[in-house]
Amino acid sequence: MAPSSPPQTPPSAVVIVLLLLFSTALLCESRLSLDYYSKTCPSFTKIMQDTITNKQITSPTTAAGTLRLFFHDCLPNGCDGSILISSTAFNKAERDADINLSLPGDPFDLIVRAKTALELACPNTVSCSDILAVATRDLVTMLGGPYYNVYLGRKDSRVSSASSLEGKLPKPTMSMSQLINLFSSSGFTVQEMVALSGAHTIGFSHCKEFSSNISNDTHYNPRFAQALKQACSGFPNNPTLSVFNDIMTPNKFDNLYYQNLPKGLGLLESDHGLYGDPRTKPFVELYARDQNKFFQDFAKAMQKLSVYGIKTGRRGEIRHRCDAVN
């Protein structure tokens, strides 16, 4: 009797097994964790803390600039470090879009310093998008703001295009309905938008972003309006002129931004809109009287934003340099 042939595995079963193995591999690659670099880069936390502290001490405006840079990276297309890529002769990158030209240089320098130190310690391991997310959280905390968990394991985008930002970032002149729709399109509620707007408790805005409204906007406190006119009188010849977003405690992360709005001390048209619109006013009043609630909601919204639209696994890369794709 001829020996019997071994049973054949049905082709469909092989396909299912391969798909399961592939899916499992992708799941393992894409899983974020708080200790993502604990084995591959044990010095990650210390290097980040040292670099951030040294930069903030040397340049105190770094914190506000980094927070703004983080927003401009994450909100349009996800937290993927695409804002860090430089333009080339063949491509105008996000950082050179008109809305990003006012981003200060200090946060870019901070990311470069951190990436350089991390590449020496752990080559080709830590993503630029993870560096930006952690730097933002640590700097907010340094200025007295809330601590929140940052999950790690993002990959960096391979592309960056200025044209991809159109209509995806808030502008000071937008109506409240436009702002609400913009945040809603990225999955954020009205309350989360108001909480994230509390980032204006630190940093500054250039005179060109609000000077045309000073005489026409009745929401300004009259004495404040007069002071703004004087501070910005030379801005047509000096476009770098700017004013603190929170004139009371500009270098402290607190809830005074919200307390300023009912007093007519908001700087931007969108700031006045938050207090003037019935959809957002209750949250302004809530955060004005309860800093702990503001901190709690800001931390939750920032943690949500930090994982918005992220790239993991094979959908991104670990850049060797943060300003250029590999």
Side-chain angles (χ1 to χ4, degrees):
M1 181 182 293
S4 60
S5 301
Q8 298 294 312
T9 304
S12 58
V14 173
V15 171
I16 291 172
V17 170
L18 288 174
L19 284 174
L20 285 172
L21 289 172
F22 181 68
S23 299
T24 302
L26 282 179
L27 183 63
C28 291
E29 280 189 353
S30 64
R31 189 174 294 139
L32 302 186
S33 66
L34 295 174
D35 60 350
Y36 188 84
Y37 297 114
S38 61
K39 294 181 179 178
T40 56
C41 191
S43 56
F44 169 73
T45 301
K46 186 177 188 308
I47 289 174
M48 287 296 297
Q49 289 176 343
D50 290 347
T51 307
I52 291 166
T53 301
N54 290 337
K55 179 63 180 178
Q56 177 64 14
I57 290 173
T58 307
S59 305
T61 59
T62 299
T66 303
L67 181 54
R68 187 170 172 227
L69 181 65
F70 175 77
F71 277 128
H72 282 232
D73 182 46
C74 295
L75 197 58
N77 302 306
C79 301
D80 58 8
S82 52
I83 189 74
L84 304 170
I85 297 175
S86 295
S87 296
T88 67
F90 309 100
N91 178 61
K92 184 178 180 180
E94 290 178 24
R95 67 191 292 176
D96 288 321
D98 288 346
I99 198 168
N100 285 333
L101 292 178
S102 61
L103 289 172
D106 282 325
F108 289 100
D109 179 61
L110 169 62
I111 304 305
V112 169
R113 291 186 186 196
K115 179 63 171 173
T116 301
L118 287 165
E119 281 296 305
L120 290 172
C122 324
N124 200 32
T125 301
V126 181
S127 68
C128 302
S129 44
D130 275 349
I131 292 172
L132 178 55
V134 171
T136 302
R137 188 272 314 279
D138 288 359
L139 285 163
V140 165
T141 306
M142 282 181 67
L143 294 191
Y147 180 92
Y148 54 91
N149 287 327
V150 173
Y151 288 85
L152 302 170
R154 299 165 189 75
K155 293 295 193 297
D156 298 323
S157 174
R158 297 185 178 93
V159 295
S160 178
S161 172
S163 60
S164 71
L165 303 184
E166 189 60 40
K168 295 182 179 180
L169 280 170
K171 297 178 181 178
T173 54
M174 282 183 172
S175 69
M176 199 48 52
S177 291
Q178 288 175 314
L179 289 170
I180 289 172
N181 290 337
L182 188 152
F183 276 86
S184 176
S185 67
S186 297
F188 291 89
T189 66
V190 172
Q191 184 165 4
E192 287 170 334
M193 181 192 78
V194 178
L196 290 171
S197 298
H200 283 175
T201 186
I202 56 175
F204 55 85
S205 294
H206 289 94
C207 289
K208 66 178 180 180
E209 296 177 323
F210 60 84
S211 58
S212 61
N213 301 320
I214 298 174
S215 299
N216 305 322
D217 194 332
T218 56
H219 296 103
Y220 282 108
N221 176 293
R223 291 178 62 188
F224 183 49
Q226 191 60 38
L228 289 177
K229 287 180 182 178
Q230 293 177 354
C232 293
S233 60
F235 101 89
N237 299 320
N238 183 5
T240 63
L241 282 179
S242 56
V243 176
F244 287 121
N245 292 322
D246 171 6
I247 60 169
M248 297 301 184
T249 55
N251 296 312
K252 183 182 179 184
F253 198 99
D254 55 24
N255 69 333
L256 258 66
Y257 163 74
Y258 298 105
Q259 294 181 22
N260 290 339
L261 299 184
K263 301 172 185 175
L265 301 178
L267 190 61
L268 304 175
E269 188 176 339
S270 53
D271 295 330
H272 299 154
L274 286 178
Y275 187 68
D277 193 291
R279 293 167 293 182
T280 51
K281 183 177 180 178
F283 302 120
V284 172
E285 293 176 330
L286 170 63
Y287 297 146
R289 66 175 179 264
D290 191 341
Q291 179 167 282
N292 288 334
K293 180 60 175 170
F294 164 49
F295 278 15
Q296 180 184 5
D297 289 354
F298 181 83
K300 287 180 181 177
M302 284 294 286
Q303 191 166 330
K304 177 177 176 178
L305 180 59
S306 72
V307 294
Y308 171 67
I310 59 171
K311 292 173 174 58
T312 56
R314 296 180 178 87
R315 295 195 301 132
E317 66 179 7
I318 303 293
R319 281 188 226 134
H320 303 310
R321 285 175 40 182
C322 289
D323 63 349
V325 296
N326 294 342

